[in-house]
Amino acid sequence: MSNVSTATPDSAGAIVSDPVKSQGYWRGVGKRVMRDKVTLVCGAILLVMLFLILFAPWIAPYDPLQGSMARRLKPVGWQGYLLGTDELGRDMLTRLMYGGRFSWFVGITPVVCAFTIGGTLGVLAGFVGGKINMLIMRATDVFYAFPSVLLAVAISGALGPGIFNAILSMTLVFIPPLIRVSESVTTSVRNLDYVESARATGANSFTIVRVHVLPNVLGPIFVYATTLVGVSMILASGLSFLGLGVKPPTPEWGMMLNTLRTAIYSQPLLATLPGICIFVTSLCFNLLSDGLRNAMDVRN
Amino acid sequence: MLQLPTMPDRGGPAQPLLIVQNLVKHFPLKGGLFGQGGKVQAVDGIDFEIRKGETLGIVGESGCGKSTASRLIMSLIEPTDGEIIFDGEKVGTAALPLKEYRRQVQMVFQDSYASLNPRLSIEESIAFGPMVHGLGRSRAIPRAHDLLTAVGLAPAQFAHRYPHELSGGQRQRVNIARALALRPRMLILDEPVSALDKSVEAQVLNMLLDLKAQFELTYLFISHDLNVVQHVADRVLVMYLGRVAEIGPVDSIFAAPQHPYTQALLASRPSMDPDRRRTEPPITGDPPNPVNPPSGCRFRTRCSLAEDICASATPPLGTTGPMHQAACHIVAPGSGHSMASREAA
Ligand SMILES: Nc1ncnc2c1ncn2[C@@H]1O[C@H](COP(=O)(O)OP(=O)(O)OP(=O)(O)O)[C@@H](O)[C@H]1O
Ligand code: SF4
Ligand SMILES: [Mg+2]
């Protein structure tokens, strides 16, 4: 292999010092991510955002709920209001920072829940196969009959508005695609020779799943889940926009987009700021997951 | 190696190590809504024995059921019918539970890359089996290092590497070490060298022969390469479309093949000797579909000697010489084939 040529001067003590540097799988992945500029930039943007929204109570310049009729809809950069003010005279920067907390929370929580539930069911279906696979996959197909936005709106509408119900409905929407992806990844791994040879040693199913299946399927499933974070944020904003998510005056990006829409002609930049936040976040999540997918491919 | 010793010989030297009786595997075809889709007759009633310490080679074209047979013997798939008897005990009974059987028979797969978990280092892959059987990690890892040495890979250099950091030949050595880790009595080698370069192939084959002597193993060696089989096997089983065509000692199979399929296989082999270049035409056409195999003798669609009797009756596996059997009407006296001797046996 390529490394063999790197002869070490201390080859006399080769018993202790490994002359051929071997790298673990995840170290290789880390190295490839470090070489990928786009992924690094996206990761950095997301980290900065995370910092801003996490520490909003300490670093935000104003109170997110305190408005003033005297300074409604002021443009970006107006007198100490870096991003202007909204239709009730509240500081936009502050509200975007606070709003991000809800948007991120409502965007990520359903994906994490669906990853856990859908991933478990999918790996189970893929590994066990047979009747259990049939049962889980046919049930999944039923959910596929409806478009995801419609399904989320319908479930949310039936449960009533509120942040918990929004998370619940979106979790339900994301479970079927996660089952599908985990099932297909697991099925392909299950039929590989190394799983067969592990069975040939007499290992039980639990050990085989833990040692041979999970380490090889979790990565791809996780990457797929990150692509859903972007979708989830947009969906969460959509629910808020329709009045099915958080209630005013709580700031949330989708909600802010809704309340600012009347200002789209007078202050177009201001009115699109929450939309830009949603767009940038979901784009970064998608590019990040693309980068991870590439980095996790051993053939690169 | 005090822990996990080799299992004792139970039946004595006369008892065949493995007896396969009427092994059948039909895969149902997917697609039919009501399950009327037919079935792939991958293995359709094979019988044979493997004696202690010998190497039985299995040859046959791609798709004739060699891998299916080895997976059946390894109990990785459920047989449709048939029995496997190991050292006198039926596999899966109280006398020989599956887990104990699996310690005694191990397998090396054709694809050296797909048969190693990419997330485990070489030493972890080899130590996995012994750890499953209760050996602690502190004992299993040194044992993995011993086995690496036995297959010619320096532990200091290879133990911590990952499969994608090895060459094909090195990976196959690791697979062999992994198969040996449970101290089995028998190895099933499913085309272990067919993905390797010729020079590496020879090295690995010779190493397999050394290991066989060192660990007192019995081999079931699957290959489609007649030269390889001639080099390693004591006896040869020729498979055609899920059935046994011919079985016998390697010398008599290669010197005096009885079944027209074996004759054609040997004739189609490129000869080193220009005087012995083939005169008979090699086998032509593709093998028939195992979903819908020909009636009677399965080889009849490609056999230049086929007659009516070949379509109407399945030729039994009949004795043609010392330890040599073939399934063809020509060698069955009184079968009705014009080339068969008249009187019934
Ligand atoms: N899981 C399966 N489901 C359905 N059909 C199968 C399955 N496994 C094998 N078969 C079919 O059974 C037949 C025998 O396959 P098998 O892999 O045993 O052949 P082989 O002799 O090992 O061939 P090769 O030399 O190419 O490895 C083939 O027709 C194959 O398509
Ligand atoms: S039984 Fe008939 S078809 Fe089959 S090999 Fe013999 S001669 Fe050929
Ligand atoms: Mg095969």
Side-chain angles (χ1 to χ4, degrees), chain A:
Chain A
M1 300 282 293
S2 56
N3 301 10
V4 175
S5 56
T6 52
T8 42
D10 60 338
S11 48
I15 302 145
V16 206
S17 70
D18 184 353
V20 180
K21 258 278 192 294
S22 139
Q23 38 173 265
Y25 174 78
W26 290 109
R27 267 172 64 195
V29 171
K31 252 179 147 173
R32 285 189 289 269
V33 167
M34 282 321 203
R35 281 200 297 263
D36 182 353
K37 294 275 174 334
V38 177
T39 307
L40 281 183
V41 169
C42 288
I45 293 176
L46 289 174
L47 276 180
V48 170
M49 274 200 180
L50 185 66
F51 176 82
L52 289 178
I53 64 174
L54 269 185
F55 296 101
W58 294 278
I59 55 178
Y62 297 94
D63 185 306
L65 304 177
Q66 188 66 52
S68 156
M69 284 304 146
R71 46 178 160 82
R72 291 173 55 211
L73 290 175
K74 292 303 176 197
V76 171
W78 183 79
Q79 289 190 8
Y81 292 86
L82 200 59
L83 294 177
T85 60
D86 73 357
E87 77 287 351
L88 294 174
R90 298 171 293 201
D91 178 45
M92 271 303 274
L93 178 61
T94 303
R95 285 189 58 85
L96 284 174
M97 282 163 73
Y98 276 92
R101 309 182 113 201
F102 275 98
S103 288
W104 276 52
F105 180 70
V106 184
I108 292 173
T109 315
V111 176
V112 173
C113 296
F115 176 80
T116 317
I117 301 167
T120 309
L121 287 172
V123 170
L124 183 76
F127 186 74
V128 178
K131 291 224 166 59
I132 293 189
N133 178 296
M134 209 39 181
L135 202 73
I136 295 176
M137 297 319 288
R138 287 301 85 79
T140 307
D141 288 344
V142 173
F143 283 89
Y144 261 93
F146 309 99
S148 61
V149 177
L150 202 66
L151 199 61
V153 171
I155 300 173
S156 248
L159 295 172
I163 201 158
F164 178 78
N165 286 348
I167 289 174
L168 187 65
S169 70
M170 290 191 329
T171 303
L172 289 175
V173 165
F174 290 136
I175 287 175
L178 272 163
I179 290 182
R180 268 216 184 158
V181 168
S182 345
E183 191 259 357
S184 78
V185 178
T186 309
T187 305
S188 63
V189 166
R190 183 186 73 149
N191 291 327
L192 288 175
D193 289 344
Y194 63 81
V195 176
E196 292 259 280
S197 83
R199 286 213 290 139
T201 63
N204 60 31
S205 297
F206 178 76
T207 308
I208 293 175
V209 168
R210 183 174 57 83
V211 178
H212 296 284
V213 177
L214 283 185
N216 287 291
V217 301
L218 278 185
I221 303 173
F222 176 77
V223 167
Y224 175 73
T226 45
T227 66
L228 289 180
V229 171
V231 181
S232 177
M233 281 192 169
I234 293 172
L235 206 55
S237 305
L239 289 178
S240 297
F241 185 89
L242 292 172
L244 290 167
V246 298
K247 291 198 208 66
T250 316
E252 195 271 342
W253 291 344
M255 183 77 149
M256 291 164 71
L257 204 57
N258 185 358
T259 53
L260 277 168
R261 72 183 191 281
T262 47
I264 190 81
Y265 298 111
S266 54
Q267 294 287 356
L269 178 59
L270 190 71
T272 44
L273 276 177
I276 292 171
C277 288
I278 297 169
F279 175 74
V280 169
T281 315
S282 64
L283 185 72
C284 284
F285 267 111
N286 279 347
L287 290 174
L288 187 72
S289 66
D290 269 359
L292 284 179
R293 195 200 331 267
N294 286 337
M296 279 163 53
D297 196 340
V298 191
R299 280 161 303 218
N300 289 353

Side-chain angles (χ1 to χ4, degrees), chain B residues 258-261 296-307 309-311 313-315 327-331 337 339:
Chain B
Q258 298 297 310
H259 196 285
Y261 176 59
C297 174
R298 293 196 162 179
F299 185 54
R300 71 178 163 84
T301 51
R302 296 157 87 196
C303 179
S304 53
L305 306 170
E307 293 181 3
I309 177 71
C310 303
T314 302
C328 170
H329 288 306
I330 294 177
V331 296
H337 194 286
M339 290 167 75

